[in-house]
Amino acid sequence: MAKWSFLRGCALILCATLYLTMAPNGFAGSAPSAIPETSALRPLPEQTSSSTGSPAESKTAEQTTTEQYTLSHERQVKAVAYSRAGYTLYFISYLFGGLLLFLILRLGWAAKFRDIAENVSDKKWIQGFIFVPLLFLTIGVLKLPVHLYWHALSLHYEQSIQGWGSWFLDWTKGEALDTAFGIVLVLILFAVMRRSPRRWWLYFWFPAVLILLGLIVITPLVIDPLFNKFEPLNNKHPDLVAAIEKLTKHAGAPIPPERMFLMAASQKTNTINAYVTGLGASKRVVIWDTTIQKMSNDEALFIVGHELGHYILGHVRQGFFVGAAGLLLALYFLFRGLHWALDRWAKDWKLYGQEDWASLAVLLLLLQGLLFASSPVINGYSRMEEHAADVYGLEVIHGLVPDSAEVAAHAFQVLGELDLSDPNPPTFITFWLYSHPPLAERLVFAHGYDPWSKGESPKYVK
């Protein structure tokens, strides 16, 4: 699944429980991203892909029956090694991130940053403009080696083709956006804290939800183009647009061509993907150019059908409401956890109360744990949505694409070969990390889904 993760710092307070809302509902993603990225304003992270030199590269080759996900011995060894490295790095990165925040508190760095900010000015908003960048930059630099290692691993397994200069530029953009957004959010949060020390978690929820809504709307228009190039799909692939229009008419929910976009993913990655994003006027379906390059037209149409499922089934809207409710619970947890932590360690960490700027580091540490603990719930919800989108994709291409079940199954086979998807992920890993059902399960389901021959009614596309 193409997805980005959450804002570092206080921005996490807004976005951490809203992953399903902020993350594009992508087609790929049977293997999880190894690093829990810290920015909701970063580019779509690289997928777990390999080079085009795979059995999948011959997209015009005659297809045989694809009943199970299979890999050559060499590619299976690579897939298992790469997936295991990703799983390990995921857990290490969470532990490392929590340890960094603890040390920033224990060594008095957070208190030192507070003192610097308060010495500059007595005005709270100026203090915030100084404290937040100091804390965020420190966290970002200390965590940089982990992200550097992950990109090196991606290059080694030929997942990414992005050069180090381009990668570092994207990282810098992400840090700058994190900081800018974090300053706004932290200033609002601490202003609410000062006004209502006991109910700030409730009152902060209202502006946080509004900011979230604004982010969902502007991300495709303002933020995504900072990291990738987009153009109307009709400019280069009018034939695909025409086929998609037939697809949407068949579904009874036409999507205008101006809502279909092509992303130049091939400049940075070998992966294939598509996703739906935005809300209202910014809602759109995005297809990566690598998907069109490496898949047959019918297979690409199935991927589009999957994304139309997210679009038509309202998953972004649903994710917003579910995420808003989760955010309220998370804020209350942070309120209780902050007081618990300050009662025990405020003196050791040189903190004088919840309104102390340095207490932001405590909130981030608590949130680090909350993010980790809530991962199974968030990913479990995502897997349900992704399965529903698979069902929709299968139904919407039925009757329009010859042998549609085989086309869909082979699309998953191609995806797995390119993405080095783990053929047999451990049950615990699937439960904890996977935002999509394991690819092998998706392939088997696609090949066997046939309500029409059984005289049953399709679930979504009647």
Side-chain angles (χ1 to χ4, degrees), residues 325-344:
L327 175 60
L328 185 60
L329 294 176
L331 288 171
Y332 182 71
F333 167 83
L334 293 177
F335 166 74
R336 302 291 297 185
L338 178 59
H339 283 276
W340 173 81
L342 291 177
D343 288 344
R344 285 158 177 77

PDB file of all heavy atoms in Angstrom, residues 325-344:
ATOM      1  N   ALA A 325     -12.949   9.906  15.784  1.00  0.00           N
ATOM      2  CA  ALA A 325     -13.310   9.280  17.061  1.00  0.00           C
ATOM      3  C   ALA A 325     -12.071   8.733  17.758  1.00  0.00           C
ATOM      4  O   ALA A 325     -11.908   8.885  18.984  1.00  0.00           O
ATOM      5  CB  ALA A 325     -14.321   8.158  16.825  1.00  0.00           C
ATOM      6  N   GLY A 326     -11.181   8.116  16.987  1.00  0.00           N
ATOM      7  CA  GLY A 326      -9.946   7.598  17.568  1.00  0.00           C
ATOM      8  C   GLY A 326      -9.065   8.698  18.113  1.00  0.00           C
ATOM      9  O   GLY A 326      -8.382   8.527  19.136  1.00  0.00           O
ATOM     10  N   LEU A 327      -9.081   9.838  17.442  1.00  0.00           N
ATOM     11  CA  LEU A 327      -8.282  10.969  17.900  1.00  0.00           C
ATOM     12  C   LEU A 327      -8.747  11.453  19.276  1.00  0.00           C
ATOM     13  O   LEU A 327      -7.937  11.775  20.142  1.00  0.00           O
ATOM     14  CB  LEU A 327      -8.373  12.107  16.889  1.00  0.00           C
ATOM     15  CG  LEU A 327      -7.682  13.418  17.264  1.00  0.00           C
ATOM     16  CD1 LEU A 327      -6.197  13.202  17.475  1.00  0.00           C
ATOM     17  CD2 LEU A 327      -7.926  14.473  16.199  1.00  0.00           C
ATOM     18  N   LEU A 328     -10.054  11.492  19.479  1.00  0.00           N
ATOM     19  CA  LEU A 328     -10.578  11.933  20.773  1.00  0.00           C
ATOM     20  C   LEU A 328     -10.118  10.994  21.890  1.00  0.00           C
ATOM     21  O   LEU A 328      -9.688  11.446  22.964  1.00  0.00           O
ATOM     22  CB  LEU A 328     -12.106  11.978  20.720  1.00  0.00           C
ATOM     23  CG  LEU A 328     -12.806  12.525  21.969  1.00  0.00           C
ATOM     24  CD1 LEU A 328     -12.376  13.967  22.249  1.00  0.00           C
ATOM     25  CD2 LEU A 328     -14.318  12.440  21.800  1.00  0.00           C
ATOM     26  N   LEU A 329     -10.159   9.700  21.620  1.00  0.00           N
ATOM     27  CA  LEU A 329      -9.679   8.729  22.612  1.00  0.00           C
ATOM     28  C   LEU A 329      -8.183   8.886  22.852  1.00  0.00           C
ATOM     29  O   LEU A 329      -7.713   8.800  23.994  1.00  0.00           O
ATOM     30  CB  LEU A 329      -9.993   7.308  22.139  1.00  0.00           C
ATOM     31  CG  LEU A 329     -11.471   6.917  22.051  1.00  0.00           C
ATOM     32  CD1 LEU A 329     -11.618   5.526  21.468  1.00  0.00           C
ATOM     33  CD2 LEU A 329     -12.132   6.996  23.419  1.00  0.00           C
ATOM     34  N   ALA A 330      -7.437   9.123  21.787  1.00  0.00           N
ATOM     35  CA  ALA A 330      -5.991   9.277  21.922  1.00  0.00           C
ATOM     36  C   ALA A 330      -5.640  10.512  22.743  1.00  0.00           C
ATOM     37  O   ALA A 330      -4.734  10.474  23.591  1.00  0.00           O
ATOM     38  CB  ALA A 330      -5.343   9.365  20.540  1.00  0.00           C
ATOM     39  N   LEU A 331      -6.345  11.595  22.509  1.00  0.00           N
ATOM     40  CA  LEU A 331      -6.076  12.819  23.262  1.00  0.00           C
ATOM     41  C   LEU A 331      -6.367  12.632  24.746  1.00  0.00           C
ATOM     42  O   LEU A 331      -5.634  13.139  25.606  1.00  0.00           O
ATOM     43  CB  LEU A 331      -6.882  13.981  22.696  1.00  0.00           C
ATOM     44  CG  LEU A 331      -6.430  14.510  21.336  1.00  0.00           C
ATOM     45  CD1 LEU A 331      -7.433  15.509  20.780  1.00  0.00           C
ATOM     46  CD2 LEU A 331      -5.046  15.140  21.429  1.00  0.00           C
ATOM     47  N   TYR A 332      -7.446  11.913  25.060  1.00  0.00           N
ATOM     48  CA  TYR A 332      -7.741  11.656  26.476  1.00  0.00           C
ATOM     49  C   TYR A 332      -6.656  10.779  27.097  1.00  0.00           C
ATOM     50  O   TYR A 332      -6.243  11.003  28.239  1.00  0.00           O
ATOM     51  CB  TYR A 332      -9.101  10.985  26.630  1.00  0.00           C
ATOM     52  CG  TYR A 332      -9.470  10.739  28.075  1.00  0.00           C
ATOM     53  CD1 TYR A 332      -9.804  11.797  28.917  1.00  0.00           C
ATOM     54  CD2 TYR A 332      -9.472   9.447  28.606  1.00  0.00           C
ATOM     55  CE1 TYR A 332     -10.131  11.590  30.251  1.00  0.00           C
ATOM     56  CE2 TYR A 332      -9.791   9.224  29.933  1.00  0.00           C
ATOM     57  CZ  TYR A 332     -10.112  10.306  30.746  1.00  0.00           C
ATOM     58  OH  TYR A 332     -10.428  10.085  32.071  1.00  0.00           O
ATOM     59  N   PHE A 333      -6.187   9.789  26.351  1.00  0.00           N
ATOM     60  CA  PHE A 333      -5.084   8.955  26.838  1.00  0.00           C
ATOM     61  C   PHE A 333      -3.839   9.800  27.095  1.00  0.00           C
ATOM     62  O   PHE A 333      -3.147   9.629  28.113  1.00  0.00           O
ATOM     63  CB  PHE A 333      -4.771   7.858  25.812  1.00  0.00           C
ATOM     64  CG  PHE A 333      -3.473   7.147  26.068  1.00  0.00           C
ATOM     65  CD1 PHE A 333      -3.407   6.106  26.982  1.00  0.00           C
ATOM     66  CD2 PHE A 333      -2.302   7.523  25.405  1.00  0.00           C
ATOM     67  CE1 PHE A 333      -2.207   5.451  27.228  1.00  0.00           C
ATOM     68  CE2 PHE A 333      -1.105   6.881  25.641  1.00  0.00           C
ATOM     69  CZ  PHE A 333      -1.056   5.838  26.565  1.00  0.00           C
ATOM     70  N   LEU A 334      -3.547  10.723  26.200  1.00  0.00           N
ATOM     71  CA  LEU A 334      -2.375  11.575  26.373  1.00  0.00           C
ATOM     72  C   LEU A 334      -2.528  12.486  27.588  1.00  0.00           C
ATOM     73  O   LEU A 334      -1.568  12.742  28.317  1.00  0.00           O
ATOM     74  CB  LEU A 334      -2.140  12.404  25.110  1.00  0.00           C
ATOM     75  CG  LEU A 334      -1.736  11.620  23.860  1.00  0.00           C
ATOM     76  CD1 LEU A 334      -1.600  12.558  22.675  1.00  0.00           C
ATOM     77  CD2 LEU A 334      -0.458  10.851  24.084  1.00  0.00           C
ATOM     78  N   PHE A 335      -3.737  12.984  27.800  1.00  0.00           N
ATOM     79  CA  PHE A 335      -4.004  13.823  28.969  1.00  0.00           C
ATOM     80  C   PHE A 335      -3.736  13.043  30.257  1.00  0.00           C
ATOM     81  O   PHE A 335      -3.021  13.518  31.147  1.00  0.00           O
ATOM     82  CB  PHE A 335      -5.456  14.304  28.924  1.00  0.00           C
ATOM     83  CG  PHE A 335      -5.954  14.899  30.213  1.00  0.00           C
ATOM     84  CD1 PHE A 335      -5.535  16.160  30.625  1.00  0.00           C
ATOM     85  CD2 PHE A 335      -6.840  14.197  31.017  1.00  0.00           C
ATOM     86  CE1 PHE A 335      -5.991  16.707  31.821  1.00  0.00           C
ATOM     87  CE2 PHE A 335      -7.307  14.731  32.205  1.00  0.00           C
ATOM     88  CZ  PHE A 335      -6.874  15.993  32.612  1.00  0.00           C
ATOM     89  N   ARG A 336      -4.278  11.849  30.362  1.00  0.00           N
ATOM     90  CA  ARG A 336      -4.079  11.038  31.560  1.00  0.00           C
ATOM     91  C   ARG A 336      -2.627  10.589  31.685  1.00  0.00           C
ATOM     92  O   ARG A 336      -2.043  10.624  32.776  1.00  0.00           O
ATOM     93  CB  ARG A 336      -5.000   9.813  31.518  1.00  0.00           C
ATOM     94  CG  ARG A 336      -6.478  10.129  31.403  1.00  0.00           C
ATOM     95  CD  ARG A 336      -7.047  10.771  32.643  1.00  0.00           C
ATOM     96  NE  ARG A 336      -6.983   9.899  33.793  1.00  0.00           N
ATOM     97  CZ  ARG A 336      -7.499  10.178  34.980  1.00  0.00           C
ATOM     98  NH1 ARG A 336      -8.128  11.345  35.160  1.00  0.00           N
ATOM     99  NH2 ARG A 336      -7.403   9.336  35.981  1.00  0.00           N
ATOM    100  N   GLY A 337      -2.047  10.186  30.567  1.00  0.00           N
ATOM    101  CA  GLY A 337      -0.663   9.720  30.602  1.00  0.00           C
ATOM    102  C   GLY A 337       0.321  10.815  30.947  1.00  0.00           C
ATOM    103  O   GLY A 337       1.315  10.574  31.657  1.00  0.00           O
ATOM    104  N   LEU A 338       0.061  12.029  30.481  1.00  0.00           N
ATOM    105  CA  LEU A 338       0.958  13.145  30.776  1.00  0.00           C
ATOM    106  C   LEU A 338       0.981  13.432  32.276  1.00  0.00           C
ATOM    107  O   LEU A 338       2.056  13.619  32.864  1.00  0.00           O
ATOM    108  CB  LEU A 338       0.505  14.380  29.994  1.00  0.00           C
ATOM    109  CG  LEU A 338       1.309  15.661  30.226  1.00  0.00           C
ATOM    110  CD1 LEU A 338       2.782  15.467  29.857  1.00  0.00           C
ATOM    111  CD2 LEU A 338       0.704  16.818  29.441  1.00  0.00           C
ATOM    112  N   HIS A 339      -0.179  13.462  32.904  1.00  0.00           N
ATOM    113  CA  HIS A 339      -0.228  13.723  34.346  1.00  0.00           C
ATOM    114  C   HIS A 339       0.426  12.581  35.139  1.00  0.00           C
ATOM    115  O   HIS A 339       1.115  12.818  36.136  1.00  0.00           O
ATOM    116  CB  HIS A 339      -1.673  13.941  34.794  1.00  0.00           C
ATOM    117  CG  HIS A 339      -2.199  15.293  34.451  1.00  0.00           C
ATOM    118  ND1 HIS A 339      -1.989  16.402  35.240  1.00  0.00           N
ATOM    119  CD2 HIS A 339      -2.896  15.742  33.371  1.00  0.00           C
ATOM    120  CE1 HIS A 339      -2.550  17.465  34.683  1.00  0.00           C
ATOM    121  NE2 HIS A 339      -3.107  17.089  33.543  1.00  0.00           N
ATOM    122  N   TRP A 340       0.212  11.371  34.687  1.00  0.00           N
ATOM    123  CA  TRP A 340       0.851  10.220  35.334  1.00  0.00           C
ATOM    124  C   TRP A 340       2.379  10.329  35.266  1.00  0.00           C
ATOM    125  O   TRP A 340       3.083  10.117  36.248  1.00  0.00           O
ATOM    126  CB  TRP A 340       0.373   8.936  34.667  1.00  0.00           C
ATOM    127  CG  TRP A 340       1.088   7.705  35.126  1.00  0.00           C
ATOM    128  CD1 TRP A 340       0.847   6.983  36.263  1.00  0.00           C
ATOM    129  CD2 TRP A 340       2.161   7.038  34.435  1.00  0.00           C
ATOM    130  NE1 TRP A 340       1.701   5.915  36.331  1.00  0.00           N
ATOM    131  CE2 TRP A 340       2.518   5.928  35.221  1.00  0.00           C
ATOM    132  CE3 TRP A 340       2.841   7.282  33.243  1.00  0.00           C
ATOM    133  CZ2 TRP A 340       3.528   5.045  34.853  1.00  0.00           C
ATOM    134  CZ3 TRP A 340       3.843   6.408  32.876  1.00  0.00           C
ATOM    135  CH2 TRP A 340       4.189   5.310  33.666  1.00  0.00           C
ATOM    136  N   ALA A 341       2.892  10.682  34.079  1.00  0.00           N
ATOM    137  CA  ALA A 341       4.341  10.791  33.908  1.00  0.00           C
ATOM    138  C   ALA A 341       4.920  11.960  34.698  1.00  0.00           C
ATOM    139  O   ALA A 341       5.989  11.851  35.317  1.00  0.00           O
ATOM    140  CB  ALA A 341       4.681  10.933  32.424  1.00  0.00           C
ATOM    141  N   LEU A 342       4.219  13.092  34.693  1.00  0.00           N
ATOM    142  CA  LEU A 342       4.727  14.263  35.409  1.00  0.00           C
ATOM    143  C   LEU A 342       4.728  14.031  36.923  1.00  0.00           C
ATOM    144  O   LEU A 342       5.635  14.507  37.629  1.00  0.00           O
ATOM    145  CB  LEU A 342       3.880  15.490  35.077  1.00  0.00           C
ATOM    146  CG  LEU A 342       3.995  16.018  33.640  1.00  0.00           C
ATOM    147  CD1 LEU A 342       3.053  17.196  33.428  1.00  0.00           C
ATOM    148  CD2 LEU A 342       5.429  16.423  33.322  1.00  0.00           C
ATOM    149  N   ASP A 343       3.753  13.309  37.432  1.00  0.00           N
ATOM    150  CA  ASP A 343       3.725  13.007  38.865  1.00  0.00           C
ATOM    151  C   ASP A 343       4.950  12.203  39.289  1.00  0.00           C
ATOM    152  O   ASP A 343       5.409  12.304  40.435  1.00  0.00           O
ATOM    153  CB  ASP A 343       2.456  12.232  39.223  1.00  0.00           C
ATOM    154  CG  ASP A 343       1.210  13.100  39.185  1.00  0.00           C
ATOM    155  OD1 ASP A 343       1.362  14.339  39.183  1.00  0.00           O
ATOM    156  OD2 ASP A 343       0.100  12.539  39.111  1.00  0.00           O
ATOM    157  N   ARG A 344       5.503  11.427  38.388  1.00  0.00           N
ATOM    158  CA  ARG A 344       6.607  10.541  38.735  1.00  0.00           C
ATOM    159  C   ARG A 344       7.981  11.087  38.354  1.00  0.00           C
ATOM    160  O   ARG A 344       8.958  10.866  39.068  1.00  0.00           O
ATOM    161  CB  ARG A 344       6.392   9.168  38.054  1.00  0.00           C
ATOM    162  CG  ARG A 344       5.310   8.351  38.732  1.00  0.00           C
ATOM    163  CD  ARG A 344       4.734   7.288  37.800  1.00  0.00           C
ATOM    164  NE  ARG A 344       3.740   6.457  38.494  1.00  0.00           N
ATOM    165  CZ  ARG A 344       2.511   6.846  38.753  1.00  0.00           C
ATOM    166  NH1 ARG A 344       2.112   8.057  38.381  1.00  0.00           N
ATOM    167  NH2 ARG A 344       1.673   6.044  39.386  1.00  0.00           N
TER     168      ARG A 344
END
